[in-house]
Each structure stands twice: as structure tokens, then as C-alpha cells.
Amino acid sequence: MTYEDIKKRLGHQKRDVHYLKIDIENVEWGVLPQLVREGHLDRGFQLAIEVHTMDIIKVPRDKVLPMLQSYWNILDTLKQLGFLRAKHRFNTVLETLYHEPTQNRTISTCMEILYIKRGVNRRLHMQPRLSAPEVSL
């Protein structure tokens, strides 16, 4: 299902998305550019993504840096939309670790990242709240 399909199914086509969590097991690299192109993140406020870069484990060493650069470029488009990284946490699942031979170190290829959009006047975007009922004393 596409993002638009999910919103339609939930009846949220005209709603602003205050928090979007994306955890789609390495498909995020194709979906994020699509969400940006179609304007789905223009009115978003918070974006949580589990990013996967485990493809670097399987490719020849000379392909690792270009692959990571392409991922970085996708994440950089979020910054251009006003999203700032607020928090990140590495996932250290054993099968997603990459051994970097030149520095003899192991790095995680999976990370949780929380982005918050800067410059959003939250009061303008929040649903109107019901006023408290008047009570005579």
C-alpha cells in the first residue's frame, strides 16, 4: 500500500500528519523521495524513521561509499524541508553490523532517527479544542 492508500483507508486524506513513523525494512530509500516529491511531508511536524544501510554488507568495498552517499542525499532532502534531527539511536542487531576493515571497527547499519520540523507554529496546525462548558455558580 502507498502512503496515500493508507491515508485514504483511514479517512485522513485532508488531515495534517503530526507524527509519521516509517519502519519499512530497507524500502525507505525508495519511499522517502516519493513522499518528498508528492508533497506528503510538507505539512508534517515529526518524522521517525528506522533507516537501514545493511546493503553495504553485500556490495564490493568500492560501492560502499557511493551507496552511503546516496542515502545521505535522501536524508539531506529532509533537512531542506526544514526537518532537523532531534535524536538518533543505533540498532545493534548482530546481522546488521558492518566490519570496516581499514579502521578495524564494527558499525551498525540500522538506526532510529527522529526529525522535528523547525519553524512550525504548532497552534496554527492543531485541531481546534472544545471549550470548557460554562457552569453557573
Side-chain angles (χ1 to χ4, degrees):
M1 292 179 75
T2 66
Y3 179 70
E4 197 61 42
D5 292 337
I6 294 167
K7 284 184 73 170
K8 184 183 259 183
R9 186 174 181 187
L10 296 172
H12 293 178
Q13 299 96 312
K14 297 183 186 205
R15 288 185 162 199
D16 288 342
V17 175
H18 296 274
Y19 180 87
L20 177 62
K21 168 66 173 164
I22 298 174
D23 184 355
I24 50 179
E25 305 308 319
N26 210 34
V27 183
E28 63 273 10
W29 304 117
V31 170
L32 279 170
Q34 179 183 357
L35 291 174
V36 170
R37 266 192 319 274
E38 294 175 2
H40 293 298
L41 300 180
D42 292 347
R43 293 181 54 104
F45 307 122
Q46 295 181 64
L47 178 62
I49 310 170
E50 183 180 59
V51 296
H52 304 83
T53 59
M54 66 273 255
D55 291 347
I56 66 172
I57 296 171
K58 302 171 192 157
V59 299
R61 255 183 82 204
D62 63 324
K63 303 285 187 207
V64 170
L65 194 56
M67 184 177 282
L68 290 174
Q69 183 65 52
S70 71
Y71 296 156
W72 178 261
N73 291 342
I74 291 168
L75 295 178
D76 198 45
T77 61
L78 297 176
K79 185 177 178 184
Q80 293 169 22
L81 289 175
F83 285 97
L84 299 175
R85 189 181 72 219
K87 188 164 176 90
H88 70 276
R89 177 180 66 84
F90 288 102
N91 289 359
T92 54
V93 178
L94 190 57
E95 59 269 9
T96 66
L97 296 178
Y98 173 73
H99 182 71
E100 205 288 312
T102 59
Q103 295 183 1
N104 195 27
R105 66 182 179 141
T106 302
I107 59 172
S108 175
T109 64
C110 187
M111 180 187 292
E112 299 275 352
I113 307 174
L114 172 63
Y115 290 94
I116 298 176
K117 189 175 273 185
R118 70 171 175 246
V120 174
N121 185 339
R122 293 171 52 106
R123 282 182 280 166
L124 292 176
H125 297 286
M126 295 188 73
Q127 297 285 338
R129 295 190 177 155
L130 297 175
S131 57
E134 291 188 28
V135 178
S136 59
L137 296 174

